[in-house]
Amino acid sequence: MSFSLKGLFTKKVSTKEEPSGEVPRHVAIIMDGNGRWAAHRGLPRTAGHHAGMVALRRTIRSANDLGIAVLTVYAFSTENWNRPSREVDFLMRLPNEFLRTDLPELIEKNVRVTMSGFREGLPKHTKDAIDDAISKTATNTGMVLNFALNYGSRAEIVKAVREIAEEVSQKQLTFDEIDEVTVSQHLYTAGLPDPDLLIRPSGEIRLSNFLLWQLAYAELCFIDVYWPDFKHEHLVAAIEVYCKRDRRFGGIKL
Ligand code: V0D
């Protein structure tokens, strides 16, 4: 089987079980295309979200098997509140549903659950389910599974700037001590390495306000399948592309 990877180039990639090179430490994924997947089948959007959850479950297993240290998945953006309220209500029950079935396996696999986003804006039942998963896995030492939920990158940067300004005004920090590390420490992803690889399925070639600061040096991989159809071989193919591209960090590769 082969498929095309859209971006700066289109390339055929063969299906493989495992990538040949080193796996990225942190992979971030925009789980896009669930609604369109459902529309293509004449199904309601909720069916697409459910199929997206199945793909998520599969991808967590794949990432863990491949030895990826951090997997960040974009589940809900701050802009998603503009969707019809019935759809938002449905989406906000998915963390509960997912964790009810999958938390035991995550615990068994030593996975640590974290969240990046504005917690306080979530319904109580959603927040409670996520808090429970975070606390039950807090001391786990395996893969970090980071849910970007109620997340928007510009709002995150504004939050960081405000917190830093507050520390300066309280004299806990001086103006010239502020550097890139200071900013990173005030983002939701504080303590996690920056993503090495961003994967966006479903053909959109945009960042959509996702991890703007953290993706500064990441390889970007756009894949032409809807998220519910995303499989192990797509993850392996994206990693293959990552391995083959020179990661230069703006400098000269030795
Ligand atoms: C819908 C595809 C799991 C994307 C995956 C509230 C669209 C299925 C979670 C989840 C969603 C979130 C936090 C957590 C555990 C699970 C989730 C949302 C949507 C938005 F701690 N799937 N999922 N959250 N979908």
Side-chain angles (χ1 to χ4, degrees):
M1 197 194 92
S2 68
F3 53 89
S4 71
L5 290 154
K6 209 152 107 187
L8 287 173
F9 59 92
T10 300
K11 190 174 188 282
K12 296 286 177 187
V13 201
S14 67
T15 305
K16 283 194 197 157
E17 282 293 302
E18 275 179 52
S20 44
E22 221 175 283
V23 302
R25 259 213 306 172
H26 185 172
V27 175
I29 305 181
I30 301 177
M31 301 189 289
D32 197 13
N34 306 292
R36 274 170 288 161
W37 179 91
H40 268 246
R41 286 165 176 72
L43 297 168
R45 289 176 64 79
T46 50
H49 296 316
H50 257 291
M53 199 157 80
V54 175
L56 170 62
R57 188 171 287 137
R58 210 165 46 216
T59 304
I60 294 167
R61 289 187 187 130
S62 295
N64 190 53
D65 292 346
L66 291 169
I68 288 163
V70 184
L71 177 68
T72 293
V73 289
Y74 203 3
F76 194 87
S77 77
T78 46
E79 287 79 36
N80 288 156
W81 293 110
N82 297 323
R83 293 189 180 176
S85 69
R86 282 186 45 244
E87 186 177 346
V88 170
D89 291 348
F90 176 87
L91 285 167
M92 286 302 154
R93 305 224 164 258
L94 292 180
N96 308 56
E97 188 181 331
F98 177 87
L99 292 167
R100 194 168 54 242
T101 54
D102 288 58
L103 187 56
E105 181 177 337
L106 297 177
I107 291 171
E108 192 259 316
K109 288 185 169 162
N110 197 23
V111 171
R112 178 158 65 97
V113 175
T114 61
M115 177 187 152
S116 291
F118 183 55
R119 268 182 81 270
E120 284 65 41
L122 296 171
K124 186 177 184 314
H125 66 89
T126 311
K127 209 169 19 180
D128 288 349
I130 296 169
D131 286 348
D132 176 66
I134 291 173
S135 71
K136 282 181 178 149
T137 63
T139 58
N140 287 359
T141 54
M143 185 175 82
V144 174
L145 173 58
N146 181 38
F147 286 96
L149 205 91
N150 200 13
Y151 175 85
S153 191
R154 287 186 171 188
E156 174 189 43
I157 293 169
V158 171
K159 175 190 91 80
V161 170
R162 286 189 179 154
E163 288 171 5
I164 293 164
E166 174 72 7
E167 285 180 24
V168 173
S169 77
Q170 301 289 316
K171 309 245 186 296
Q172 294 157 327
L173 188 70
T174 67
F175 171 80
D176 2 81
E177 279 168 347
I178 300 170
D179 59 11
E180 293 185 9
V181 174
T182 318
V183 175
S184 293
Q185 283 169 344
H186 284 85
L187 301 176
Y188 291 121
T189 49
L192 301 177
D194 285 338
D196 305 294
L197 172 64
L198 170 79
I199 302 173
R200 180 163 196 169
S202 98
E204 306 295 345
I205 307 187
R206 291 192 285 268
L207 290 182
S208 300
N209 202 20
F210 186 50
L211 302 175
L212 300 180
W213 173 281
Q214 297 90 331
L215 290 171
Y217 296 106
E219 296 295 335
L220 310 180
C221 187
F222 301 94
I223 303 186
D224 243 341
V225 299
Y226 295 134
W227 173 249
D229 293 325
F230 190 89
K231 306 238 157 55
H232 183 80
E233 61 255 35
H234 300 110
L235 181 60
V236 171
I239 294 172
E240 287 285 324
V241 169
Y242 161 86
C243 292
K244 288 191 185 111
R245 288 188 197 164
D246 284 355
R247 301 198 71 212
R248 300 167 71 109
F249 294 96
I252 294 165
K253 192 152 167 119
L254 297 173

